[in-house]
């Protein structure tokens, strides 16, 4: 073999090695490989669509890389050695990062589940299952309050309770330990007519409103044999002043638990 031929062969082999090492989807030499997967289950109720990326590569479903409403897909990939994978969820127009997750071989198969809209982000939704009703004809609830103090600026940062009353004022019970980032304890009670319940938010263990000098309450429609995960939201008027609280979002409408 002439020196020229040897040089050509060496150049060809070197080029192949460089190409292989520069492509994460190809197998680097001498590196241990392990299959990985991220299961994504999300719901975006914001006006701006969201994008999901894995190590900077956008998730594409049916030729779309931006999503409103439901997002369901799986990322499958390969870990090389001790490498990690980063999943980033961001808004398309503003590029604001809503959340990011890092995955390693310590847990090669994992799940990302979230609900988002303006000023609301709830993660690990599927880990917060609805409560189990103990009897037919009952209704039950868990509450979470991610936007607490957004408009009210109450200054109270402790846990909250929700006092439930019938339309005639009779107290039904209390949902306890409502937090910004964690669902409350589960509370169930027998369904009755009319199917309206008044919900009053107070400081935990008291009858005192969490907003000084103002009673905070709203109406909620009951449903027989339904266990719900309710997202509480602070609302504002046209001037940006606190106008009250709503509890119209039920996560069991958007996710299969």
């Amino acid at each position: 073999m002439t020196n020229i031929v040897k040089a050509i062969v060496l150049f060809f082999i070197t080029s192949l090695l460089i190409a292989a090492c520069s492509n994460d989807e190809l197998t680097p030499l001498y590196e241990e490989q392990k299959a990985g997967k991220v299961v994504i289950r999300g719901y975006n109720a914001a006006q701006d669509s969201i994008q999901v990326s894995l190590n900077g590569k956008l998730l594409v479903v049916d030729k779309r890389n931006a999503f409103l409403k439901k997002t369901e897909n799986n990322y499958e990939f390969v870990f090389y050695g001790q490498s990690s994978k980063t999943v980033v969820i961001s808004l398309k127009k503003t590029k604001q990062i809503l959340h990011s997750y890092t995955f390693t071989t310590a847990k090669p198969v994992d799940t990302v589940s979230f609900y988002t809209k303006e000023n609301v982000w709830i993660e690990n939704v599927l880990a917060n299952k609805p409560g189990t009703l103990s009897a037919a004809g009952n209704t039950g609830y868990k509450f979470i309050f991610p936007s607490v103090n957004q408009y009210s600026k109450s200054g109270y940062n402790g846990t909250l309770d929700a006092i439930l009353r019938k339309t005639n004022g009779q107290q039904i019970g209390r949902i306890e330990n409502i937090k910004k980032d964690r669902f409350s304890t589960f509370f169930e009670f027998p369904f009755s007519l009319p199917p309206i319940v008044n919900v009053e938010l107070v400081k935990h263990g008291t009858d005192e409103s969490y907003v000084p000098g103002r009673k905070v309450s709203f109406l909620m429609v009951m449903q027989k044999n339904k266990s719900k995960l309710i997202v509480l939201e602070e609302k504002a008027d046209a001037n940006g002043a606190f106008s009250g609280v709503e509890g119209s979002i039920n996560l069991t409408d958007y996710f299969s638990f």
Side-chain angles (χ1 to χ4, degrees), residues 208-226:
E208 179 185 352
S209 173
Y210 82 97
V211 179
R214 177 169 182 169
K215 182 178 179 179
V216 180
S217 64
F218 60 94
L219 298 179
M220 192 165 59
V221 178
M222 295 182 289
Q223 287 182 281
K224 185 185 293 187
N225 299 318
K226 293 290 185 179

Side-chain angles (χ1 to χ4, degrees), residues 36-247:
K37 182 170 75 171
V38 177
V39 177
I40 299 173
R41 299 290 183 268
Y43 193 92
N44 172 32
Q47 294 182 353
D48 192 355
S49 56
I50 61 169
Q51 293 184 306
V52 183
S53 65
L54 174 69
N55 283 13
K57 183 179 180 181
L58 289 177
L59 171 67
V60 178
V61 179
D62 296 329
K63 299 182 179 180
R64 295 181 298 119
N65 63 14
F67 308 96
L68 287 171
K69 298 184 178 180
K70 185 175 288 189
T71 304
E72 292 187 349
N73 208 271
N74 301 335
Y75 260 135
E76 296 186 355
F77 48 82
V78 176
F79 288 107
Y80 297 120
Q82 299 302 311
S83 64
S84 62
K85 302 290 183 180
T86 300
V87 171
V88 175
I89 301 168
S90 59
L91 295 175
K92 181 180 180 180
K93 293 180 182 178
T94 65
K95 306 304 180 184
Q96 176 190 351
I97 294 177
L98 299 175
H99 210 82
S100 63
Y101 306 84
T102 299
F103 301 93
T104 67
T105 54
K107 192 176 181 182
V109 179
D110 213 336
T111 300
V112 170
S113 58
F114 61 89
Y115 175 92
T116 187
K117 64 176 296 188
E118 285 77 10
N119 305 310
V120 172
W121 173 266
I122 302 173
E123 62 176 307
N124 296 328
V125 172
L126 294 180
N128 295 281
K129 298 184 182 300
T132 302
L133 298 174
S134 62
N138 279 4
T139 183
Y141 298 89
K142 291 181 181 180
F143 286 165
I144 192 170
F145 201 173
S147 65
V148 62
N149 289 325
Q150 180 185 352
Y151 299 114
S152 66
K153 312 297 182 185
S154 73
Y156 177 72
N157 295 310
T159 58
L160 300 174
D161 292 348
I163 300 174
L164 308 183
R165 294 186 177 90
K166 295 182 179 181
T167 53
N168 63 5
Q170 178 186 348
Q171 183 167 323
I172 300 170
R174 183 184 287 251
I175 297 176
E176 298 185 317
N177 295 312
I178 304 167
K179 299 182 180 181
K180 183 182 181 73
D181 56 359
R182 189 178 305 172
F183 277 93
S184 66
T185 54
F186 174 61
F187 180 75
E188 65 172 316
F189 55 95
F191 174 86
S192 62
L193 295 174
I196 304 296
V197 61
N198 182 279
V199 182
E200 181 182 355
L201 296 175
V202 296
K203 296 179 181 179
H204 175 57
T206 75
D207 291 339
E208 179 185 352
S209 173
Y210 82 97
V211 179
R214 177 169 182 169
K215 182 178 179 179
V216 180
S217 64
F218 60 94
L219 298 179
M220 192 165 59
V221 178
M222 295 182 289
Q223 287 182 281
K224 185 185 293 187
N225 299 318
K226 293 290 185 179
S227 182
K228 299 184 177 183
L229 297 171
I230 299 296
V231 180
L232 304 179
E233 291 183 281
E234 284 198 347
K235 296 295 183 177
D237 60 22
N239 298 317
F242 175 64
S243 61
V245 172
E246 291 183 359

